[in-house]
Amino acid sequence: MTQQDATVMRTLHVTGEVGEAVRLRREELGLTQKEVAAKIGVSRKWYIDLEQGKPTVELYKVLDTFWALNLELQVKAAS
């Protein structure tokens, strides 16, 4: 997967894919893990857990991360 893929609409099925999309977008923006963590008010450890696909990260913090990285979450019925 290339860095450009982070900005393309993707269907995510597991937490690891969410983490990968977040990591690719962060890298695309040229930000460090520490910078993004500070922007959303979490520890770097929490942010690393998100990028690594830890399934127990808090949803509201994940949504804050999407906001910080200018990502959009869309939910729709599966076809």
Side-chain angles (χ1 to χ4, degrees), residues 1 10 14 16-17 22 39 46 51-52 56 61 66 68-69 73 79:
M1 181 178 304
R10 300 174 55 191
V14 295
E17 292 172 344
V22 166
K39 187 171 184 175
W46 183 92
E51 284 195 356
Q52 292 179 346
T56 57
K61 291 181 183 178
F66 287 177
L69 296 174
L73 175 67
S79 49

Side-chain angles (χ1 to χ4, degrees), residues 12 14-26 33 36-37 40 42-69 71:
L12 305 174
V14 295
T15 56
E17 292 172 344
V18 173
E20 179 183 33
V22 166
R23 179 185 55 79
L24 289 172
R25 179 63 175 163
R26 175 183 58 77
Q33 292 171 331
V36 177
I40 59 178
V42 298
S43 68
R44 182 169 175 262
K45 168 73 171 101
W46 183 92
Y47 187 81
I48 289 169
D49 287 346
L50 170 61
E51 284 195 356
Q52 292 179 346
K54 185 176 179 182
T56 57
V57 294
E58 298 92 337
L59 180 59
Y60 77 95
K61 291 181 183 178
V62 175
L63 296 174
D64 286 348
T65 303
F66 287 177
W67 169 83
L69 296 174
L71 290 171

